[in-house]
Amino acid sequence: MASLTAYAPMPGMAVYAAAKAFVPSFTGALWAEAHDSRLRVLCLSPGPPSSEFYRVSGTSDQGFRFQTPEQVVDTAFRALRTDCPTVVSGRINALAAVLMHSLPRRLALALTARVQLAELSALTGFGCFGRGFGPVWCSGDRCPAAMT
């Protein structure tokens, strides 16, 4: 199971995104190795699912287009019938994955940094902001660096 984050660098979630980026490559290799057998291998990359996560974590779910778990499972079963190695669940999610893959890496990083750092700032309450894809600067007495 990968994620939509497999297709873009994600400042603030670097390890998670890197781990998810590994999954399509690894699964693709397994798919090729098992292709002549009865074993089916699939890398499924959903976007954010409709779940209790946002309510329980206290974060916002605004701005997301959710799929139900049933829609994600239906996508996986359709993909298994067509014998493809990788599928991104949802048209908008698939478009986002293609777009992030086709953008220059620096631009993709700048876009995801802007979104991720704004979300981290809102979530933590720290006055942090990012500029481009560069370092994160903090302002005011709510900066984590000032809390030493």
Side-chain angles (χ1 to χ4, degrees):
M1 176 73 73
S3 166
L4 195 54
T5 60
Y7 303 96
M10 302 294 282
M13 295 175 51
V15 173
Y16 177 79
K20 292 300 181 177
F22 164 79
V23 176
S25 178
F26 179 68
T27 306
L30 289 178
W31 177 86
E33 290 173 10
H35 196 259
D36 292 332
S37 72
R38 295 181 60 195
L39 178 66
R40 294 290 170 247
V41 178
L42 174 68
C43 175
L44 175 62
S45 299
S50 174
S51 70
E52 291 187 43
F53 172 81
Y54 295 97
R55 183 184 60 77
V56 172
S57 68
T59 58
S60 173
D61 61 359
Q62 293 182 337
F64 288 120
R65 295 192 66 163
F66 293 104
Q67 286 190 293
T68 65
E70 293 79 13
Q71 289 171 314
V72 174
V73 169
D74 287 344
T75 298
F77 281 126
R78 278 195 312 276
L80 284 169
R81 285 192 296 272
T82 61
D83 193 34
C84 64
T86 304
V87 65
V88 176
S89 185
R91 288 187 196 134
I92 299 294
N93 295 333
L95 179 62
V98 168
L99 178 65
M100 291 311 265
H101 187 68
S102 64
L103 289 175
R105 196 70 169 168
R106 187 177 176 115
L107 179 56
L109 185 55
L111 291 171
T112 57
R114 182 175 295 246
V115 171
Q116 283 300 109
L117 295 175
E119 287 179 10
L120 284 173
S121 179
L123 186 64
T124 63
F126 295 124
C128 297
F129 58 94
R131 203 173 97 164
F133 76 94
V136 177
W137 290 272
C138 297
S139 60
D141 60 349
R142 299 192 67 165
C143 176
M147 298 180 153
T148 57

